[in-house]
Amino acid sequence: MLKRFLAILTLSCAFGAVSAQAEEKYFDYKDWTVIISSFDTGEDLRTECTIRTGGDGMPSLGASISNGDALPPDYYPELSLNESAPRGTTTLMQDGDPVTFTFDDGTKIAATTASWIDDDGIATARTQFLNPVQLQALQAMRHSSSVTVSGPKGEIYTASANGFTAAYGKMAEQCGFTTDGVIQ
């Protein structure tokens, strides 16, 4: 009986340790969601901060950074459009396609597309800026009410910037970096 009790206690502690190792928090700011994931790497406690809008079958616009990465003001999270297609179909964005982020404040930023089939057989695509313009893109989001991403065949997605500033501020707070240059 004592062995059984100790086995159950050991399993309970193990499950408790696993749940303590990975924790997610969500915050919504109008059209934007902030996802804070904390996890133990075995060497230290890391926090990954993601902001995004869209999804639910449509592309999503977002940015992500970890407190283990280089952080602002040395490196800013990259705004990117992410797309997944139903199994057996292709994404609107194809590998190598040029795309343009057009912010309603007048800013235009060129990007390209990387696409692949993920481990589950789902077609996936993601934009990548052509040069280090992360800060410029974040500043344009701050001063815009929307951004439209267009490719060779026309408009791919229009995202609202409504709530972006608050979401970016929460991301900065949770991952421990300054909002200088983007919000202030």
Side-chain angles (χ1 to χ4, degrees), residues 63-177:
S64 190
I65 199 163
S66 165
N67 66 349
D69 296 335
L71 297 169
D74 299 317
Y75 175 81
Y76 289 88
E78 183 173 343
L79 197 62
S80 65
L81 185 67
N82 299 284
E83 178 188 10
S84 295
R87 191 179 312 277
T89 63
T90 61
T91 55
L92 295 173
M93 299 185 294
Q94 295 297 302
D95 200 48
D97 276 356
V99 294
T100 302
F101 284 69
T102 304
F103 300 85
D104 66 8
D105 75 346
T107 303
K108 289 187 177 190
I109 300 176
T112 190
T113 303
S115 65
W116 63 94
I117 303 297
D118 72 11
D119 292 340
D120 295 322
I122 305 296
T124 304
R126 177 187 170 111
T127 61
Q128 300 169 323
F129 291 129
L130 297 175
N131 53 42
V133 293
Q134 291 90 333
L135 178 57
Q136 181 186 6
L138 295 170
Q139 289 170 336
M141 281 300 291
R142 166 75 171 98
H143 293 80
S144 298
S145 60
S146 68
V147 58
T148 299
V149 181
S150 302
K153 297 178 185 172
E155 183 180 316
I156 298 167
Y157 185 68
T158 297
S160 168
N162 197 6
F164 169 81
T165 302
Y168 186 82
K170 189 65 165 181
M171 174 191 216
E173 171 193 298
Q174 294 293 305
C175 269
F177 62 88

